[in-house]
Amino acid sequence: MDRRKLYLQLLFLTSLFATLGSLYFSEIRQYVPCEFCWYQRILMYPIVIISLIGLVRNDFGAKYYIRVFSILGVIMAGYHYALQKVSFLGNGMAACEGVSCTVQYINWLGFITIPLLSLTAFSIILILTFLIKKD
């Protein structure tokens, strides 16, 4: 199997898993997404579609579009995680519309929160876009 196809498949599975995870937290666990969570969803959901189209068409140029979404996602998720874990950032932030962006629905092992899960997914996707090389 072509390595590029394997990396694109892994990229698709990572984005699909992240999308289904976000839907699980909001639809099944009933966690109301904050404003930054919505922005991260806006960046993650298209990656599923773009990577699936790239897989079906064997279009490895899709990595450039995915890379843009994932870079923005890393920035957004990193900032969101910092808002939750760095006290002077979260305390001075104006309240988001609706749910506060500093709320931590999960806090596994004292540091794993939903924005960290998002940051991890975006980072994996970003790395995979760089592993997809030209022939």
Side-chain angles (χ1 to χ4, degrees), residues 106-120:
I106 65 169
N107 194 7
W108 300 328
L109 303 174
F111 71 96
I112 301 172
T113 63
I114 294 173
L116 182 64
L117 296 174
S118 175
L119 176 62
T120 303

Side-chain angles (χ1 to χ4, degrees), residues 11-119:
L11 193 152
F12 168 71
L13 289 174
T14 303
S15 63
L16 180 64
F17 187 72
T19 297
L20 293 175
S22 74
L23 292 172
Y24 167 77
F25 282 131
S26 64
E27 300 303 319
I28 295 173
R29 298 292 299 267
Q30 297 295 310
Y31 298 156
V32 179
C34 71
E35 192 172 337
F36 279 113
C37 290
W38 278 113
Y39 294 146
Q40 290 164 66
R41 287 176 177 208
I42 289 167
L43 294 169
M44 182 61 74
Y45 291 4
I47 294 175
V48 177
I49 297 166
I50 295 168
S51 61
L52 180 61
I53 292 170
L55 273 173
V56 170
R57 299 186 69 197
N58 281 325
D59 179 10
F60 302 107
K63 70 179 179 181
Y64 298 111
Y65 307 112
I66 295 168
R67 191 175 294 159
V68 171
F69 282 105
S70 60
I71 289 170
L72 293 172
V74 165
I75 293 168
M76 181 65 64
Y79 180 68
H80 190 188
Y81 185 67
L83 284 176
Q84 288 185 336
K85 293 298 182 180
V86 179
S87 60
F88 71 88
L89 285 176
N91 292 341
M93 183 183 168
C96 296
E97 297 268 334
V99 178
S100 171
C101 293
T102 59
V103 70
Q104 296 179 34
Y105 288 117
I106 65 169
N107 194 7
W108 300 328
L109 303 174
F111 71 96
I112 301 172
T113 63
I114 294 173
L116 182 64
L117 296 174
S118 175
L119 176 62

